[in-house]
Amino acid sequence: MADSLHRLDDGEARTARDLVAGLGLRDERPAGARPRVVADMIASADGRASVQGRSVALGHPADRALLRELRTGVDAILVGTGTMKAERYANLLDADQRAGRAAAGLPEHPTVVTVSRALELPVEVGLFSEPGRSILVYTESCAAAPEVGADVEVVRLAPGTLALPALLADLGARGVRGVLCEGGPTLLRELVVQGLLDDLLLTVAPWLIAGDAPTILEGAAELPEAGRLGLRDVHRAGDHLFLHYVPQRD
């Protein structure tokens, strides 16, 4: 199958759906715990996260299947407005994935969560025109919410108080257990710096890109503390490698 992933240590084939089911993204969390945060990223062999501004050119059918199954398995998708615009967000799930969520008693679509201090949103992308899509925006702006086809809820915070720990705490209070971060590199860096990332699923694409495309973490300065990772699992599909890392914390 096009979306089959083969485990490197024993060659066992799994579908993207099987792999995501094994992650348990919506398992019960301890009382008061923030949601589990899983990031899904792709990079070329020389570390570039996009080609001509988009990551799709690096992908493989199994990579695309994995992303959509991850979306199916979480309560919320956390994504920066720049990534929404660059990747032209729309139609995030297939019909069978929506049906599977509904059969499990979940909303057909996970909530899409984004951060914009000035409430500047890429309303031209398809996601904002899709009726019934739930979009949650955290901002420090007093500007009016955009009038779009999707259901947009704006959470307004005082200037200087918008931070990811507070955002995740609010999501937890709303019943969110699992969050999928889809980038971009600035947002992912902030999750790493603040110790909020629980899993990194990194696809390594068999391409050499060079140029000035971003890496999966943005920022000229090194991290305050090196982000040590532990390798949990490795799969392959064709020449693409799928790596599951977990942060190593003291």
Side-chain angles (χ1 to χ4, degrees):
M1 295 176 60
D3 68 343
S4 291
L5 299 102
H6 296 265
R7 195 170 182 176
L8 280 196
D9 59 358
D10 58 12
E12 177 188 354
R14 294 184 185 179
T15 65
R17 182 169 298 180
D18 291 338
L19 195 153
V20 171
L23 294 175
L25 298 178
R26 297 192 65 259
D27 288 352
E28 283 287 350
R29 304 286 288 169
R34 63 167 175 77
R36 180 176 173 188
V37 179
V38 179
D40 183 51
M41 305 296 287
I42 189 169
S44 64
D46 61 336
R48 301 300 178 180
S50 65
V51 180
Q52 297 181 343
R54 302 188 69 195
S55 64
V56 66
L58 295 170
H60 180 280
D63 171 67
R64 290 186 283 274
L66 180 60
L67 174 61
R68 294 178 91 82
E69 290 298 337
L70 286 166
R71 290 170 174 170
T72 304
V74 295
D75 298 303
I77 295 169
L78 176 61
V79 59
T81 56
T83 297
M84 278 188 187
K85 183 175 181 177
E87 302 293 342
R88 305 167 195 169
Y89 267 48
N91 302 316
L92 300 185
L93 293 181
D94 298 327
D96 64 325
Q97 293 162 336
R98 298 196 301 270
R101 285 179 59 89
L106 301 172
E108 286 193 2
H109 292 267
T111 299
V112 176
V113 181
T114 194
V115 180
S116 176
R117 296 185 190 279
L119 200 58
E120 296 174 347
L121 303 172
V123 295
E124 69 277 12
V125 303
L127 175 69
F128 284 89
S129 300
E130 296 175 3
R133 304 299 180 265
S134 175
I135 303 174
L136 188 58
V137 183
Y138 290 83
T139 186
E140 295 178 351
S141 172
C142 296
E147 295 185 6
V148 293
D151 298 329
V152 177
E153 178 183 351
V154 177
V155 179
R156 302 182 192 275
L157 301 172
T161 65
L162 178 52
L164 291 179
L167 181 156
L168 290 172
D170 184 67
L171 291 179
R174 294 167 180 263
V176 172
R177 297 179 187 174
V179 174
L180 172 64
C181 176
E182 299 187 9
T186 301
L187 179 58
L188 180 57
R189 177 191 172 94
E190 193 63 20
L191 287 171
V192 172
V193 167
Q194 298 196 40
L196 300 173
L197 182 66
D198 298 302
D199 301 81
L200 172 62
L201 301 178
L202 175 63
T203 301
V204 179
W207 299 100
L208 297 172
I209 305 301
D212 58 358
T215 63
I216 67 168
L217 291 184
E218 189 67 53
E222 292 185 359
L223 297 178
E225 296 182 9
R228 177 77 167 85
L229 300 173
L231 184 60
R232 180 67 57 85
D233 213 348
V234 183
H235 289 76
R236 70 174 292 177
D239 293 321
H240 283 66
L241 282 179
F242 296 79
L243 311 175
H244 178 190
Y245 287 110
V246 294
Q248 300 296 286
R249 300 186 176 109
D250 295 335

